[in-house]
Amino acid sequence: MEGRGRHVAVLASIVAGVLALPAGARAVVVKDNLYGVKAMSASEAWAVGNFGSIYHTADAGKTWEARDSGTKVPLFAVDFADAAHGWIVGKSSTILATADGGKTWKPEKSAIPPEKHLFNLKVIDARTVWVVGDWGAIATTRDGGATWEDRSLAVIRPDRVPDDDVVLYAVSFPDAQHGFIAGEFGTLLATADGGRSWRKQEVGTEKTLFGVSFSTPEKGWVVGIDGLILRTRDAGQTWEVQHGAMELGSVEELGFLETLKNPGLYDVSVVGQYGVVVGDTGNLMTTADGGETWTARELPEEERLVWLRGVSLLPGGSAGFAVGARGFMAAIDHGQIALPANGRRVAAGP
């Protein structure tokens, strides 16, 4: 009878959880590749990925709810201005928006042609959003998504095309006036006037940069291929190597094992004293000293070949989430990594 009572209690908790799901949501086991994540609190997050998938968790990833996106194209990034207003970008210039806290998502008319994909975005507030993507694509809205303006490199720097015809992968705004965009061939663009003008800054490498995070207008990081982590303390005027190397090199020159030791890094987030970098082959590094040093975190053996694509930290930096291939999701707590599926902490690597 005691065992039967436990089964009844478990069944009741499952039924109660399903009944509590919002309309249009369904509890799922996430197996999709996840490309982007937005931390809303220490327990709540949104994640997006393949096949138009949108997922929401309110218990630090122990359970997920799927939300209808209305599309089957891959979705690459998600960001919110507040609890109600959020945006998602993806393949074929897709832009989705919610004004009801993610209960429903509706497409918006993009200023970027559908031949181009949008890889990332930054939501400044409920009216102002920046998106970046293929072949110099940049667009912004200043009216909450009612209209979008094409600010692509071909528009704002027509004299530099095709030199500026590069893929842009990431965007960071430490405040409403100062922004940075990173992309192919060591591209870094900066604005100090809220995006009215952008200037190219030299980073010292031609390696592709996949991620950028500025915690203040002066202090920032970029990450990219071959395990590259660069830091600036003077708004991008000078850069120092914290991991990897500036120089381009082939697998033959570097050596296969050396290449495995320095896999591509896809995203970085630094807030206050805490920061996280994620990349290929289970590569995950953290800092708890404001980005002065980075510590490799060794994932469980079954996760070590999984690529990690997105990371998001809360204001203050003490909590957040990382996502990646095959539904990988980890919670971040004061620089420590916890896998929700088993509750284990991830140890520091050798």
Side-chain angles (χ1 to χ4, degrees):
M1 287 296 292
E2 182 180 349
R4 182 180 178 185
R6 283 199 299 269
H7 288 310
V8 170
V10 170
L11 179 60
S13 67
I14 292 173
V15 171
V18 171
L19 290 176
L21 292 180
R26 59 194 186 280
V28 294
V29 176
V30 180
K31 296 295 185 181
D32 296 329
N33 291 336
L34 300 176
Y35 300 115
V37 64
K38 173 62 177 180
M40 305 297 288
S41 73
S43 59
E44 183 185 6
W46 291 89
V48 297
N50 261 356
F51 311 112
S53 56
I54 303 175
Y55 299 108
H56 177 255
T57 182
D59 56 12
K62 295 181 179 66
T63 60
W64 289 90
E65 304 163 4
R67 300 294 173 89
D68 184 18
S69 68
T71 182
K72 293 299 182 183
V73 303
L75 302 175
F76 297 127
V78 55
D79 198 9
F80 274 74
D82 50 44
H85 299 88
W87 281 264
I88 291 170
V89 294
K91 186 178 179 181
S92 302
S93 192
T94 297
I95 301 177
L96 305 177
T98 182
D100 57 13
K103 294 182 178 66
T104 59
W105 292 88
K106 298 178 180 179
E108 293 187 342
K109 184 173 177 54
S110 175
I112 304 299
E115 305 84 60
K116 298 182 179 183
H117 310 319
L118 298 177
F119 294 121
N120 222 316
L121 79 166
K122 176 61 180 178
V123 177
I124 308 299
D125 53 46
R127 296 184 61 81
T128 310
V129 186
W130 287 87
V131 301
V132 299
D134 262 338
W135 312 121
I138 305 173
T140 186
T141 180
R142 300 182 188 275
D143 55 15
T147 60
W148 286 84
E149 178 188 1
D150 188 351
R151 298 287 293 156
S152 298
L153 296 182
V155 174
I156 63 175
R157 296 161 62 107
D159 58 313
R160 297 294 299 277
V161 177
D163 291 347
D164 285 334
D165 202 14
V166 297
V167 179
L168 303 175
Y169 287 110
V171 55
S172 175
F173 273 78
D175 59 40
Q177 294 300 306
H178 296 86
F180 300 86
I181 296 173
E184 280 187 310
F185 310 121
T187 296
L188 185 73
L189 306 173
T191 180
D193 56 14
R196 285 187 291 276
S197 63
W198 293 88
R199 67 187 184 280
K200 188 172 182 179
Q201 290 190 312
E202 293 300 323
V203 179
T205 183
E206 293 185 1
K207 291 185 175 182
T208 292
L209 305 175
F210 291 116
V212 58
S213 177
F214 273 71
S215 55
T216 70
E218 294 76 33
K219 194 172 182 180
W221 291 258
V222 293
V223 298
I225 62 173
D226 300 332
L228 185 65
I229 303 177
L230 303 179
R231 176 180 64 177
T232 181
R233 303 186 195 192
D234 55 13
Q237 298 303 310
T238 60
W239 294 85
E240 61 182 297
V241 179
Q242 291 191 301
H243 192 268
M246 290 271 203
E247 298 78 17
L248 289 168
S250 66
V251 172
E252 291 78 11
E253 291 171 327
L254 294 172
F256 182 69
L257 292 178
E258 189 64 28
T259 301
L260 286 180
K261 291 178 184 177
N262 291 290
L265 300 178
Y266 295 130
D267 201 7
V268 55
S269 181
V270 181
V271 183
Q273 292 297 105
Y274 297 100
V276 180
V277 170
V278 297
D280 267 334
T281 58
N283 203 280
L284 193 156
M285 291 183 277
T286 64
T287 180
D289 58 11
E292 292 295 322
T293 59
W294 294 90
T295 301
R297 299 290 172 175
E298 193 168 88
L299 297 178
E301 187 172 354
E302 64 271 19
E303 306 282 7
R304 287 179 192 168
L305 294 181
V306 171
W307 49 256
L308 311 181
R309 188 57 59 92
V311 61
S312 175
L313 295 178
L314 294 171
S318 61
F321 298 87
V323 297
R326 304 200 307 269
F328 177 92
M329 187 271 190
I332 302 162
D333 179 13
H334 291 86
Q336 303 298 310
I337 310 300
L339 303 181
N342 51 32
R344 286 184 293 172
R345 296 271 177 173
V346 174

